[in-house]
Amino acid sequence: MYRCYEYIKGRHERCADCPVDALETNETFDGDRFDESSSKWRHVSAKRAEWCGRNAMIQSISDVTEEKETAQALQRTSQLYELATRGADIMVWEYDSRTHCIDAPEHGMQHLEATDHIENVPDSVIDRFRDEDRERVIEFFRAVDEGQPVVTGDFWMRAVDNRPPYCIRYRYTNVLDDEGRPGKAYAVAQDVTVSKQEEELYDRLLRQLLISNTAAIGSFHMNLTRDTCSEGVSQ
């Protein structure tokens, strides 16, 4: 029979910081211990008990190295994911088209002032959108529920408290189940209020230029970086 210090660390004497030694009768210890010599994690469960009139120790020791490494890797991935989403100023969550529920990580709904679990979507969130966008919101979620691979849309949100109306760009990517039916959709959202306001300002300026210059036939937007020309305003 091996004692824990023999099994875990190959020692011939008790560890100086052993928590088990301090246990009184009927007390228990349950925890993980790391052995630097073998780079292994062990889970130790121990209990003091009376056995045949003697003060005994019942112990259970198991190797949990793989579980620990998996948990640590998940934690690192979660931290990187949080840093990436915060740094890129984007929001992420998961939408279940079967239950019509949204579940988000702790920081997933930043800027939207929403809880991390929302049921009965889109009915429960439709009031957050401006009146003129609500029909498009319903059509948006209908497309997601029908399983379209990618559904995108820009929607203006209503003013909240002291915050003026703001525009969010949504992108839902569907993941189909083994039978090809929609189940989960992963959502990415970003506040595009500034760019939308700049677009609206640009359109207004173009229209004012056309009004002031009656000889002009129209205007077009040139993107010299991409070497493209997009349709502008004509009269």
Side-chain angles (χ1 to χ4, degrees):
M1 177 184 297
Y2 286 102
R3 295 177 175 84
C4 59
Y5 53 81
E6 295 174 326
Y7 178 73
I8 296 177
K9 297 187 176 182
R11 297 168 58 95
H12 298 294
E13 67 279 343
R14 292 180 175 87
C15 301
D17 62 343
C18 179
V20 175
D21 253 2
L23 293 179
E24 300 293 338
T25 303
N26 293 324
E27 286 187 338
T28 61
F29 170 80
D30 193 74
D32 297 330
R33 307 282 285 177
F34 182 71
D35 176 21
E36 295 181 356
S37 63
S38 64
S39 297
K40 295 285 188 180
W41 280 96
R42 311 279 197 225
H43 182 79
V44 180
S45 296
K47 180 178 181 178
R48 286 281 185 185
E50 291 287 338
W51 182 68
C52 296
R54 303 179 61 182
N55 184 12
M57 178 77 70
I58 302 171
Q59 292 186 2
S60 171
I61 304 173
S62 56
D63 188 336
V64 293
T65 306
E66 184 175 346
E67 292 88 337
K68 277 284 187 180
E69 290 176 347
T70 300
Q72 290 170 351
L74 286 173
Q75 183 179 14
R76 289 193 298 270
T77 300
S78 177
Q79 290 172 342
L80 289 172
Y81 165 80
E82 181 175 353
L83 288 172
T85 53
R86 287 188 183 277
D89 201 24
I90 61 176
M91 298 163 281
V92 292
W93 59 84
E94 181 181 285
Y95 170 69
D96 192 320
S97 57
R98 295 161 299 190
T99 62
H100 303 287
C101 290
I102 284 176
D103 288 290
E106 182 180 353
H107 60 285
M109 288 289 189
Q110 59 181 336
H111 307 313
L112 286 179
E113 301 182 24
T115 61
D116 57 6
H117 178 76
I118 305 174
E119 299 179 351
N120 195 28
V121 177
D123 293 346
S124 62
V125 298
I126 198 68
D127 289 342
R128 296 177 179 268
F129 297 85
R130 290 202 310 194
D131 294 344
E132 54 267 37
D133 278 351
R134 292 183 182 181
E135 283 299 323
R136 290 199 305 116
V137 171
I138 294 173
E139 289 298 324
F140 179 94
F141 278 99
R142 183 176 293 121
V144 175
D145 291 341
E146 289 174 353
Q148 289 189 25
V150 178
V151 185
T152 61
D154 296 347
F155 300 101
W156 281 94
M157 315 298 291
R158 299 184 63 178
V160 179
D161 296 330
N162 295 325
R163 184 180 185 182
Y166 56 100
C167 187
I168 300 293
R169 176 167 295 156
Y170 296 90
R171 178 185 175 92
Y172 277 59
T173 302
N174 259 311
V175 178
L176 306 182
D177 62 19
D178 294 338
E179 298 181 0
R181 296 175 301 189
K184 299 286 186 180
Y186 296 103
V188 178
Q190 189 170 22
D191 190 326
V192 293
T193 306
V194 174
S195 62
K196 281 293 183 180
Q197 290 172 337
E198 290 175 348
E199 289 176 10
E200 292 175 355
L201 176 61
Y202 172 77
D203 287 340
R204 286 198 301 271
L205 290 174
L206 286 181
R207 293 187 183 278
Q208 290 172 3
L209 286 172
L210 289 174
I211 292 173
S212 62
N213 186 1
T214 56
I217 299 174
S219 64
F220 297 87
H221 178 256
M222 296 291 298
N223 188 323
L224 299 179
T225 303
R226 299 183 179 180
D227 194 22
T228 59
C229 177
S230 58
E231 184 176 353
V233 179
S234 60
Q235 60 180 13

